[in-house]
Amino acid sequence: MNIRQAAIGAAALDAGAIIVFSAIGRASHDEGILGDAGLGLATTAWPFLAGAGIGWVIARGWKHPCDWKATGVPVWASTLVGGMLLRLASGQGVQVSFIIVAGLFLAAFLIGWRVISGILAKRAGLKK
């Protein structure tokens, strides 16, 4: 696998984690995936997806897409902070408990898979 393929896969995993996070959140509030206007999941996910995109640019994630420190932490922080700020700007709710839950879930999924990937690569002799 080359770095371009790794970056595409990493970005897809990040986006998937954010969509799962958004879907679980909607389901836990009995909002349904589509919502009233048919855009429920998209309305919930877009601020976090935009935040993640900003994080990828800040970290230049395409250079080390699977590195939990160089890419995972900046993408997580940008997803959380950017997502919350964009939610506020778009009139969506932001409560302290939501920030905590979002921070923990997103850390587990945006940083966690990279940590596991690094451990597996090291065991397989793919990483120094």
Side-chain angles (χ1 to χ4, degrees):
M1 178 183 302
N2 65 37
I3 194 71
R4 183 169 186 243
Q5 291 170 322
I8 291 168
L13 279 172
D14 288 349
I18 292 165
I19 291 168
V20 167
F21 163 71
S22 300
I24 290 169
R26 292 191 62 79
S28 70
H29 294 285
D30 295 323
E31 294 175 326
I33 297 298
L34 296 178
D36 292 334
L39 297 173
L41 184 58
T43 301
T44 302
W46 81 261
F48 298 103
L49 291 168
I54 292 166
W56 267 80
V57 171
I58 290 169
R60 296 188 299 174
W62 53 89
K63 292 189 174 219
H64 303 284
C66 300
D67 187 300
W68 75 268
K69 289 179 191 173
T71 303
V73 171
V75 169
W76 165 73
S78 183
T79 301
L80 181 62
V81 174
M84 293 301 170
L85 291 174
L86 288 169
R87 279 181 64 87
L88 279 173
S90 64
Q92 296 183 56
V94 175
Q95 294 80 25
V96 173
S97 60
F98 177 53
I99 295 170
I100 293 167
V101 169
L104 293 172
F105 183 97
L106 292 170
F109 284 85
L110 298 178
I111 297 171
W113 76 257
R114 288 175 168 92
V115 170
I116 293 167
S117 172
I119 291 167
L120 294 175
K122 192 172 187 177
R123 284 187 182 164
L126 300 174
K127 201 173 182 181
K128 295 179 186 174

